[in-house]
Every structure is written in C-alpha cells, then in structure tokens.
Amino acid sequence: MENTKKLTQLALLTSIALIIFVVELKIPSLIPLPGVKLGLANIITVYAIYHYNTKEVLALVLVRIVLGSIFGGGMMALLYSLSGAMLCLIGMVALHKVLDERYIWLCSILGAILHNTGQMIVAILVLQTLSICVYFPFLLLSGSLAGMCTGLCAQYLIKSMKRNFIPLENKN
C-alpha cells in the first residue's frame, strides 16, 4: 500500500512539473537570449530533493524531461535538458545533505548554476567551439536569479503545506 501511495505522489508531482513546463514554453521570453528562462518546473524538483530519495527524484526528472521534449522541445532540447538536469541533480542531492530545508533556495541556486554549466558543456561539444563561452556569464547570472526564484517558491510551498497540515512525504 505504501509503495502505491508513493508512486501516486511521484506521478502527480511529475504531472504537475510537466504541466508547468509546457505552460512556461508558451510564455514569451523577456530576455532574448537562448536558454534563459525561469525553469518553474524545477520548483517541483527542488521540493522532491528534500522529500524523496535520490532514485525517486531521478525518475521524476527523467520522465518530465523525456515527456517535455516530446511535447515541446525536440531532440536537441532533450540533450541540453538531460545534461543540465543530471549535473544539477548531482549537486543538489549532495548539497541538501548539508543544508537544512530552510535553505532550500540556496540548493536551488546551485542547481540552476550546475544546470547551465551542463548545458554549456553540451553547447561547446555540439557547436565545437569555445567562443560560445562568452555567453556563459549571462547564463550564470540569469540561472542564479531563476534558481533563487524557484527555490523561494519551493520554500513557500513547503511552509504553506506545513501550515495547512498537509503531510509531507518522508524519505523511507
């Protein structure tokens, strides 16, 4: 019964993240640089890092990325998203072990920076040039701001859920 409950919760979180991702695709970018976006679906990822085990979060992220690429990103988006997400997850999983949930926003900033770093590595490999690196500081700045935004949203979500007595899943 417990496995069914956890699987259902993860499926719902994945669905919510995918919906947020697809809706965000429809919002025009305020900054005309490729790859610069808020990444609002990562609110769910940051939340999951603190409430589920690593395998469960990995499954959630992989399903969201693959389905997101099918629904609106294409194969190149899949490549960039996967590289960024894997580096991001490694960093956030490690950092959440030393950072209390009160500092979830810091974990999110690190995740965003690592996500952009992974995407930059893929861009260098795909384009076979280092000249793309001049773009990296802009990605780091926008990623840090977006990471702070999504982290603060996740922190607000968790506080709101606790305040309203909605039980949070424990890592079992």
Side-chain angles (χ1 to χ4, degrees):
M1 183 66 161
E2 189 64 30
N3 286 341
T4 304
K5 179 181 175 184
K6 188 175 277 194
L7 182 61
T8 303
Q9 289 173 342
L10 287 166
L12 286 171
L13 287 173
T14 303
S15 299
I16 292 166
L18 184 59
I19 291 167
I20 293 169
F21 173 80
V22 170
V23 168
E24 189 176 4
L25 282 177
K26 304 299 180 194
I27 299 170
S29 178
L30 298 175
I31 301 172
L33 297 173
V36 175
K37 65 179 195 161
L38 280 175
L40 296 174
N42 291 318
I43 294 168
I44 305 302
T45 304
V46 176
Y47 165 80
I49 289 282
Y50 279 84
H51 296 279
Y52 293 90
N53 70 42
T54 303
K55 286 182 185 178
E56 293 163 343
V57 177
L58 179 62
L60 184 153
V61 169
L62 288 176
V63 170
R64 179 188 55 85
I65 289 172
V66 169
L67 290 176
S69 295
I70 290 169
F71 292 141
M75 289 310 293
M76 286 308 288
L78 177 65
L79 181 63
Y80 283 101
S81 293
L82 275 177
S83 63
M86 293 307 104
L87 199 54
C88 170
L89 275 178
I90 291 167
M92 287 199 313
V93 165
L95 190 59
H96 104 278
K97 294 175 192 249
V98 296
L99 278 184
D100 185 79
E101 190 175 72
R102 292 173 295 160
Y103 302 103
I104 197 171
W105 60 276
L106 283 173
C107 189
S108 181
I109 291 172
L110 174 71
I113 289 169
L114 290 172
H115 192 278
N116 286 341
T117 302
Q119 290 181 319
M120 183 57 63
I121 291 168
V122 168
I124 290 168
L125 294 172
V126 168
L127 300 173
Q128 298 182 359
T129 180
L130 290 175
S131 64
I132 190 84
C133 290
V134 299
Y135 179 55
F136 195 45
F138 298 106
L139 278 180
L140 289 179
L141 177 62
S142 67
S144 296
L145 293 173
M148 185 171 66
C149 176
T150 57
L152 290 172
C153 288
Q155 196 164 14
Y156 176 78
L157 174 69
I158 291 166
K159 282 182 183 179
S160 177
M161 290 171 72
K162 285 180 180 177
R163 190 172 43 247
N164 293 312
F165 304 107
I166 298 171
L168 298 175
E169 185 64 34
N170 291 327
K171 291 184 177 188
N172 298 2

